[in-house]
Amino acid sequence: MLRVALLGDSIFDNAAYTGGGPAVIDHLRGLLPAGSRADLLAVDGAVTNHVAHQLRGVTGQHTHMVLSVGGNDALLRSGLLEAATSSSGEAFLMLADAADDFEKDYRKAVNLCLLCGLPLVICTIYDGNFPDAAYQRAARMALLAFNDVIIRTAAVRNLRVIELRRVCTDAEDYANPIEPSVAGGAKIASAIARAVQEGRFQGAGCQVAA
């Protein structure tokens, strides 16, 4: 039987945003095979540096881990979208510095997860649902740098990836600009359930799926 540990932030720990409806963990528990379990170790508001603490909840009974983190790291740097710069080159360098810092933290978090010796699935950062169209476009482009870190980490470590940008594609998937709704949570849980049941992990190479 499966026992899945969910690590990361409010992409998984979204109960506060569902208006009393089912959260990701609730959906997932209903989708896994009979006798399986899912444990919510993710914490709303967490950043990559918090994953080490969450890993204390992983036990020898777990069979898989799923990690979705990075959105709050990007949010902490959202001031870059409105920062005054003297040139586009300076703006790109500021974004590159932010992505480099994130890469150090993210790779450390992934490496700590892998020390548990369990199959690991990681998630990209979705684009969100910002009401201002111009801000939405700018945020999407900035997140490319953070998602590049995630995809390249998956390639280096031969990890399975859930591409959340292809999962939460409709406005109703969001409870607010950055949190998944009941509908979005159902889609995320479905992607997780498929990912942890799709056969062997070791030696399979990097696999990206929606």
Side-chain angles (χ1 to χ4, degrees), residues 8-193:
D9 54 30
S10 59
I11 300 303
F12 294 158
D13 185 24
N14 71 319
Y17 310 101
T18 62
V24 169
I25 189 67
D26 303 311
H27 289 298
L28 181 60
R29 286 168 177 162
L31 292 170
L32 293 177
S36 298
R37 289 183 56 176
D39 298 314
L40 181 63
L41 305 180
V43 178
D44 183 8
V47 296
T48 50
N49 285 333
H50 296 153
V51 172
H53 179 76
Q54 295 176 17
L55 284 168
R56 297 177 185 177
V58 176
T59 73
Q61 301 300 313
H62 285 104
T63 61
H64 296 76
M65 298 188 299
V66 187
L67 173 67
S68 182
V69 73
N72 289 319
D73 297 74
L75 189 63
L76 289 172
R77 298 168 173 84
S78 60
L80 292 174
L81 297 179
E82 299 174 354
T85 61
S86 59
S87 67
S88 58
E90 182 181 356
F92 280 122
L93 285 174
M94 291 170 62
L95 180 58
D97 287 341
D100 287 345
D101 289 342
F102 172 64
E103 183 163 9
K104 294 173 187 175
D105 293 337
Y106 189 79
R107 292 208 173 195
K108 179 180 178 181
V110 167
N111 289 339
L112 288 173
C113 288
L114 291 173
L115 288 176
C116 295
L118 298 174
L120 174 66
V121 180
I122 62 177
C123 302
T124 58
I125 305 167
Y126 57 32
D127 292 328
N129 185 44
F130 297 96
D132 183 85
Y135 189 89
Q136 176 73 51
R137 292 184 67 198
R140 178 171 59 84
M141 294 306 295
L143 285 173
L144 289 175
F146 288 80
N147 279 315
D148 178 65
V149 168
I150 294 172
I151 296 295
R152 286 190 294 106
T153 300
V156 170
R157 304 295 289 185
N158 290 326
L159 300 177
R160 187 166 292 174
V161 183
I162 296 174
E163 176 53 279
L164 289 182
R165 289 173 292 184
R166 297 294 303 276
V167 174
C168 294
T169 56
D170 302 312
E172 54 265 32
D173 294 332
Y174 297 91
N176 59 39
I178 60 172
E179 312 292 355
S181 63
V182 172
K187 290 182 178 181
I188 293 168
S190 180
I192 294 170

